[in-house]
Amino acid sequence: MRYDVLIIGGSFAGLSAALQLGRARRRVLVIDAGQRRNRFATASHGFLGQDGVPPGQIIATAREQLARYATVEIRDGAALGVTGDEQGFVVGTDGGPVAGRRLILAGGVTDTLPEVPGLAERWGKHVFHCPYCHGYELNQGPIGVLATGPMSLHHAQMLTDWGPTTLFLNGAFEPDADQLADLARRGVTVERTPVAGFFGEAADIRLADGRTVPLAGVFTLAQTRLTGPLAAELGVDVEEGPLGQCIQVDAMQQTSVAGVFACGDAARLAGSVALAVASGTMAGVATHRSLIFTA
């Protein structure tokens, strides 16, 4: 069977794209490795109508709804490789190769976390990256920002709207005089003592001099890389930003390779569930249009 569209990634963006294509009665295959970026979080916030709902529950509901569309198929497993061009694409899977006229890359990104003892175990629970997704629930308690580079300056300046904020430089960079003045104007406390690790069951930070700083939550900017090799195999243009990689797309989510679209966190340098759903919707609509209006 040759599908109209192959979608790599079955999280918020990929399923959103599949919904648009299914409603257009196009034959779609979603290949889902099941590694949602926010799988560590207990609740999703900032997504209208789904605020506070566990992200896994949102995905389960989406899958149930997509099952109503006879032309949409979801296959669990990884995409193992890709070949092709705008005349058609072939993706390898555990069950053998599958072919489609168009391809949507929605495989997301993988976070590389700072190597601080105790951080990985708290990721998505007490340590976060997005203030809009998790800041409100800290109830204006003390907030830490674990620096990973100069971009953490902006992170710290934002977070004072959610609670009193301390920027832990941890040797990642040293603010200049103007930057220190900007931090002071926003009420940010700067801590230069290195971080030894996280302490206790919550987000408290233990410093190298033995002090413990109690915190309601910590934010940090992880480096990201595209999940899987497909973008590289296809040769799509990739942007290297200060926090990592993303696939370059136009306003219609079209990549630099004809017939290949991308959406979700893989196609933008900042992400949230709401933004992923929006870009997936656009990718699905644009992919459908490309099937109609191009040869």
Side-chain angles (χ1 to χ4, degrees):
M1 176 192 301
R2 190 187 194 207
Y3 295 90
D4 289 315
V5 185
L6 302 175
I7 300 176
I8 311 303
S11 189
F12 302 96
L15 295 183
S16 181
L19 179 60
Q20 310 310 312
L21 290 158
R23 291 187 58 77
R25 300 187 183 276
R26 291 293 179 163
R27 188 162 293 281
V28 180
L29 175 64
V30 180
I31 303 170
D32 181 22
Q35 294 293 303
R36 288 180 295 102
R37 187 183 184 190
N38 67 354
R39 62 191 180 276
F40 304 105
T42 57
S44 172
H45 294 285
F47 182 18
L48 188 64
Q50 298 288 341
D51 190 45
V53 178
Q57 182 177 326
I58 299 174
I59 293 294
T61 300
R63 279 189 166 220
E64 290 174 6
Q65 293 174 349
L66 280 169
R68 304 170 192 165
Y69 295 90
T71 61
V72 177
E73 177 184 346
I74 300 176
R75 185 178 301 182
D76 293 326
L80 304 178
V82 62
T83 58
D85 54 31
E86 61 183 317
Q87 302 305 314
F89 300 91
V90 177
V91 174
T93 73
D94 290 334
V98 291
R101 295 173 61 193
R102 297 289 186 270
L103 183 65
I104 297 178
L105 300 177
V109 296
T110 299
D111 293 299
T112 301
L113 302 177
E115 294 184 1
V116 174
L119 188 151
E121 298 90 323
R122 291 165 174 80
W123 184 243
K125 302 175 180 66
H126 303 289
V127 182
F128 315 101
H129 78 287
C130 174
Y132 298 100
C133 301
H134 301 287
Y136 185 86
E137 282 63 42
L138 301 182
N139 295 315
Q140 298 181 304
I143 295 171
V145 174
L146 180 63
T148 58
M151 289 289 291
S152 296
L153 183 82
H154 176 70
H155 217 186
Q157 289 171 318
M158 290 176 61
L159 274 156
T160 57
D161 279 359
W162 284 273
T165 301
T166 299
L167 174 59
F168 296 87
L169 295 176
N170 201 36
F173 80 110
E174 178 58 40
D176 61 26
D178 290 340
Q179 291 170 333
L180 288 171
D182 288 340
L183 289 167
R185 276 192 290 272
R186 288 291 290 162
V188 177
T189 300
V190 176
E191 177 59 69
R192 289 181 171 81
T193 305
V195 172
F198 286 83
F199 177 77
E201 296 181 359
D204 298 350
I205 280 180
R206 174 73 55 83
L207 299 176
D209 61 9
R211 285 181 292 145
T212 297
V213 183
L215 297 164
V218 172
F219 290 80
T220 194
L221 295 172
Q223 287 289 314
T224 61
R225 68 181 187 279
L226 295 173
T227 301
L230 299 193
E233 292 176 5
L234 289 162
V236 299
D237 289 344
V238 173
E239 180 179 352
E240 297 283 350
L243 297 178
Q245 301 176 316
C246 78
I247 299 169
Q248 290 185 353
V249 294
D250 65 14
M252 301 298 287
Q253 306 298 137
Q254 167 71 57
T255 73
S256 60
V257 174
V260 180
F261 297 79
C263 54
D265 289 359
R268 64 184 308 126
L269 289 173
S272 72
V273 170
L275 292 173
V277 169
S279 68
T281 298
M282 180 58 74
V285 169
T287 302
H288 177 238
R289 290 172 60 87
S290 81
L291 290 166
I292 299 171
F293 298 115
T294 59

